[in-house]
Amino acid sequence: MAAAPGRVCSLLRQLHRVDCVPFLNCAANNTIAVCFWKRPLPTLSSGTQLGFSHYSTAPLITETDDPDTLYKKVCVLVKGHDKMVLDSYEYFATLAAKELNITVDKVNEPARKIDRLTLLKSIHIFKKHRVQYEMRTHYRCIELKHLTGSTADVYLEYIQRNLPEGVAMEVTKTMLKKLADHLREPIWKSDSPQDEGKPV
């Protein structure tokens, strides 16, 4: 016998926590499978058992032995034709960076670019009468510093998914690398085999 919907809802309200998200699956034999990420599933008071067919114990975070990439600076340059849209997107991007504890070095507004096109106003007469069209491109540059590769990937994917229409983005990353072995010690301090046979 299937449990009443009110009992299922009250059970889910009792079991619901912030870190446990329930998933419902109604099977053909009137059983309800509920999936929680952290704790095992109980049995309903009406006798209907909650199955473990969709219970997953896979970890949400995967660990690898590879070292994470370090970035000294990440520059996000956005450009568009509407200044108010860029103002709103700049506020969104800096707010998202603060939520992820990313250091925002500076936010600047480069000079706008204006493309002008001059055409004749009249085709046959009045050659001095012209009409001029212009297209203005506004820019915003957000510079972030001291990021790891995973944090940069998450942040950039989040702000790229929420990019407004008519706005283009260009990302420049400055990566930190370990100094090569042959550059750590100066050449004049190393004893080369060619200098051994020469008189001093």
Side-chain angles (χ1 to χ4, degrees):
M1 180 177 172
R7 289 186 182 179
V8 174
C9 292
S10 64
L11 176 69
L12 291 178
R13 273 193 226 102
Q14 291 172 1
L15 296 176
H16 181 67
R17 293 188 307 175
V18 174
D19 57 345
C20 291
V21 180
F23 298 97
L24 294 179
N25 185 16
C26 298
N29 55 359
N30 292 332
T31 59
I32 300 174
V34 179
C35 172
F36 287 94
W37 285 105
K38 295 230 174 174
R39 54 185 173 184
L41 302 172
T43 305
L44 292 175
S45 59
S46 62
T48 305
Q49 295 184 357
L50 300 175
F52 290 88
S53 59
H54 296 282
Y55 184 72
S56 175
T57 59
L60 297 176
I61 301 173
T62 57
E63 296 181 6
T64 58
D65 295 333
D66 300 332
D68 204 358
T69 309
L70 297 177
Y71 293 110
K72 181 180 179 182
K73 184 170 66 170
V74 175
C75 293
V76 180
L77 179 69
V78 289
K79 57 183 178 178
H81 301 297
D82 193 352
K83 189 177 180 182
M84 300 305 290
V85 172
L86 288 181
D87 289 340
S88 174
Y89 189 71
E90 174 198 331
Y91 176 74
F92 163 75
T94 53
L95 188 66
K98 288 177 184 176
E99 289 294 324
L100 291 173
N101 293 329
I102 297 174
T103 306
V104 179
D105 189 18
K106 60 182 175 179
V107 179
N108 59 353
E109 184 176 351
R112 65 185 180 187
K113 180 182 176 185
I114 300 177
D115 294 328
R116 289 188 177 90
L117 184 64
T118 306
L119 299 174
L120 285 172
K121 189 172 184 181
S122 176
I123 300 174
H124 302 292
I125 56 174
F126 305 120
K127 297 296 183 182
K128 292 184 179 180
H129 292 199
R130 307 289 176 110
V131 61
Q132 194 172 53
Y133 300 97
E134 67 179 23
M135 184 170 60
R136 300 181 181 183
T137 306
H138 301 275
Y139 296 92
R140 288 297 157 85
C141 183
I142 303 169
E143 292 188 8
L144 314 166
K145 63 179 184 179
H146 307 308
L147 281 94
T148 60
S150 56
T151 306
D153 292 341
V154 168
Y155 175 73
L156 291 175
E157 183 180 355
Y158 179 62
I159 64 171
Q160 284 173 357
R161 283 177 183 258
N162 294 299
L163 195 66
E165 293 181 357
V167 176
M169 178 185 290
E170 180 182 337
V171 179
T172 307
K173 298 178 182 177
T174 306
M175 188 168 58
L176 290 173
K177 282 195 171 182
K178 190 168 69 172
L179 193 64
D181 294 334
H182 66 279
L183 296 176
R184 289 186 180 181
E185 187 176 340
I187 298 174
W188 57 86
K189 288 188 177 179
S190 63
D191 297 330
S192 61
Q194 297 175 354
D195 298 336
E196 292 177 356
K198 294 180 180 179
V200 179

